[in-house]
Amino acid sequence: MRTKGNLLNTFGKVAVVEGISMIVLVICSVLKRTPGMEGAALGVTYVGWAHGILFIAYVYLLGMCAMRYGWTWRRVALFFVASLIPVAPFFVEKALKREEDHR
């Protein structure tokens, strides 16, 4: 069952927000290079900053979960690579939900 403050639950939420921030950052980056949309550069700056903090939180929580739950190096590497692909953190969150439901 899900409990408030559960490490898996927190990691799942950060994964979703980090994934959303990556998608928004990519969109802003494309718009920045679109004629007439130069104002999107400001979006790249602020969204990039937020995404950086979320990425650090994601990696930190990945390490914490790996230690607490004894995850394999393969799983840790897979979840890390997922943080680099725009939509992959949503699949990480789904996997974490399944694991949390089985605990």
Side-chain angles (χ1 to χ4, degrees):
M1 291 196 141
R2 229 171 251 246
T3 59
K4 201 172 189 179
N6 183 322
L7 186 58
L8 288 176
N9 187 27
T10 302
F11 183 38
K13 287 178 182 179
V14 169
V16 168
V17 177
E18 193 268 343
I20 291 169
S21 73
M22 171 75 99
I23 292 169
V24 173
L25 182 59
V26 168
I27 291 169
C28 287
S29 182
V30 170
L31 289 176
K32 175 181 157 182
R33 290 159 180 78
T34 304
M37 297 295 289
E38 292 80 16
L42 198 58
V44 171
T45 300
Y46 292 113
V47 174
W49 181 79
H51 175 69
I53 290 172
L54 289 165
F55 176 76
I56 291 168
Y58 180 99
V59 172
Y60 174 78
L61 289 167
L62 174 60
M64 293 296 293
C65 286
M67 287 188 290
R68 180 173 293 172
Y69 302 113
W71 289 351
T72 65
W73 281 104
R74 183 176 185 268
R75 185 171 198 198
V76 173
L78 181 67
F79 281 6
F80 179 78
V81 170
S83 73
L84 306 174
I85 302 168
V87 296
F90 302 115
F91 296 105
V92 169
E93 192 266 344
K94 188 174 182 178
L96 293 170
K97 272 188 185 175
R98 278 195 307 268
E99 182 172 334
E100 190 176 13
D101 289 343
H102 288 86
R103 287 194 181 271

